[in-house]
Amino acid sequence: MRKSLALILNILLVAGSTQTVFAGAATANPFQKVPLGNWEYSNIQQLEKDGIFEDEDKQFKPNTVLTRYEIAVIVAKATANFDKANTEDKALLEKLQTEYSPELKALGVHLANEKPAAQNLADRISFSGEHYFQYQNQDTDSHGVKTKSNPFATRTRIYTTYKIDDQWSFTTRLQNTSTLNKSDQYETGTLGKNGTGTSLNEAYVTGKIFGGTTSIGRQGRHATVLDGLVYDGAFKGILTNYKLANNFQITGRYGTEISTPVNANNDTNTYGSLELTKNIGPAQLGLAYHNFSSPVAGTGKNVWQGYATFPISPDFSASLDYAKSNANQENKAYSLQISYKKTDVSQIGSYKLYTQYRRMEANSTISTTYDVAGVGDGGFKGYEIGTEYVPWKNVVWRNEFIDGKSTVDNSSTTKYYYSRLWFFF
């Protein structure tokens, strides 16, 4: 299933590359004579003795000098009986095939140890993806104005990675988000931070540069800084990561945000960050600096973030997060999460329970990963509880409830619940 798209593309590529096979095959002079005494003659003699080919035309005669083309014709005959050869003869034949592969390709011979072009390309392509059904319900009271939202949403993401060579790869993400209980008009609006509809919202190359790993292009999912409290957005630009001594890593990002233009000139915001992390056994510590610039005066900000996650016991773990921006007010964010157990999509019956308290003031983050980031005129403060369970292999059922208030007005409140059945493939 994952290879079908690749094979269709490969058929088109192979059809267009037939001429190049023959053009590139003549890298050696096929009429060049091979001196007597060369290893080719002894290999051919042994293959004929073992009956791997028959020399009907009596080309192979003692003390007769052959050209590369003439030897290739003999190797082609032997290749037709490759499956009949024993281990020793196969080794002799494979050595001849390697040496005379240009001539054999020109003759249209498919080598036993060579995959068809379509298969080679298919091996370079890998697919993965996820799909979920989600019901959510949110009740909000902002200064006495009550609103309710209860969409039944679906989201599909298909990731395709093409291995260019041993150093570089090309990755894309095709995404569709829609609602099942709303009109098409609703689907042109937004649902969560990714919006609705279908788009190719990631396309980037990844490779090794100066000892580090660098991604260039339109990217998002692997660009999350620490746990995503401050930034979990998508951007067009560059991301580079270097592994240092003593389990340190440093990661830098810079680019333009993938968002609606902020003015009539189609200008967009720019984002950059520098992140330093250190792993200490199962624990991780992190420090990050974020810079968000905008053509709109007064909307840019700088944010410092610190993060730690660590085990409390074999079954319990905790994570702490803190951020502060350079805004004059509503500039702090922090969270504490305690988790029990963890899910493993390959293990049916595995589960996770978690609870979190967080306070995210209105000017403290840039593009947070959390579903509820603000209430009314302010940010969000409150708690979250959730469960995850694996009912079938590669399927996760997640339930989450959030209860909180505005950070500037206790009378503005929200209650948010969602249930998600998540399939991974």
Side-chain angles (χ1 to χ4, degrees), residues 21-52:
V21 170
F22 287 95
T27 55
N29 179 5
F31 302 108
Q32 177 183 343
K33 293 184 179 295
V34 179
L36 283 173
N38 272 25
W39 60 270
E40 291 96 324
Y41 292 97
S42 60
N43 280 26
I44 293 172
Q45 186 177 23
Q46 186 63 47
L47 292 172
E48 183 184 26
K49 179 180 178 181
D50 293 342
I52 305 304

Side-chain angles (χ1 to χ4, degrees), residues 181-297:
N181 61 339
K182 299 292 181 180
S183 66
D184 291 339
Q185 182 178 2
Y186 183 86
E187 293 191 9
T188 62
T190 58
L191 176 65
K193 63 180 180 295
N194 292 315
T196 57
T198 301
S199 64
L200 186 70
N201 57 10
E202 291 188 17
Y204 58 91
V205 293
T206 302
K208 304 291 185 180
I209 298 180
F210 304 123
T213 301
T214 298
S215 298
I216 305 171
R218 183 185 179 104
Q219 50 197 308
R221 69 185 173 92
H222 68 302
T224 302
V225 182
L226 298 181
D227 70 332
L229 172 69
V230 176
Y231 189 81
D232 187 21
F235 69 96
K236 295 177 290 185
I238 184 170
L239 181 153
T240 188
N241 172 271
Y242 289 91
K243 293 183 178 181
L244 310 176
N246 300 316
N247 292 321
F248 279 98
Q249 287 192 64
I250 187 168
T251 305
R253 305 161 179 80
Y254 184 77
T256 58
E257 265 204 321
I258 300 175
S259 59
T260 304
V262 298
N263 56 29
N265 295 325
N266 289 325
D267 292 328
T268 59
N269 304 316
T270 59
Y271 171 76
S273 70
L274 191 64
E275 171 189 356
L276 179 67
T277 60
K278 177 177 175 60
N279 293 323
I280 307 174
Q284 184 184 63
L285 304 176
L287 179 67
Y289 170 75
H290 310 256
N291 175 262
F292 177 75
S293 302
S294 174
V296 180

Side-chain angles (χ1 to χ4, degrees), residues 5-15 117-122 125:
L5 177 59
L7 292 175
I8 293 172
L9 294 173
N10 298 339
I11 291 171
L12 296 176
L13 290 171
V14 172
Q119 185 64 46
N120 281 329
L121 184 57
I125 296 179

Side-chain angles (χ1 to χ4, degrees), residues 30-104:
F31 302 108
Q32 177 183 343
K33 293 184 179 295
V34 179
L36 283 173
N38 272 25
W39 60 270
E40 291 96 324
Y41 292 97
S42 60
N43 280 26
I44 293 172
Q45 186 177 23
Q46 186 63 47
L47 292 172
E48 183 184 26
K49 179 180 178 181
D50 293 342
I52 305 304
F53 76 96
E54 295 182 8
D55 188 18
E56 300 95 341
D57 301 327
K58 304 300 179 184
Q59 282 182 288
F60 189 61
K61 298 177 182 178
N63 301 320
T64 300
V65 177
L66 302 177
T67 64
R68 288 185 61 88
Y69 175 78
E70 290 171 328
I71 290 179
V73 171
I74 294 173
V75 174
K77 292 179 180 179
T79 297
N81 296 315
F82 185 88
D83 293 338
K84 300 178 182 179
N86 59 33
T87 303
E88 291 77 13
D89 286 339
K90 283 181 178 179
L92 297 177
L93 184 53
E94 285 175 348
K95 185 176 181 181
L96 286 164
Q97 289 173 339
T98 300
E99 172 64 27
Y100 291 88
S101 61
E103 290 82 6
L104 292 171

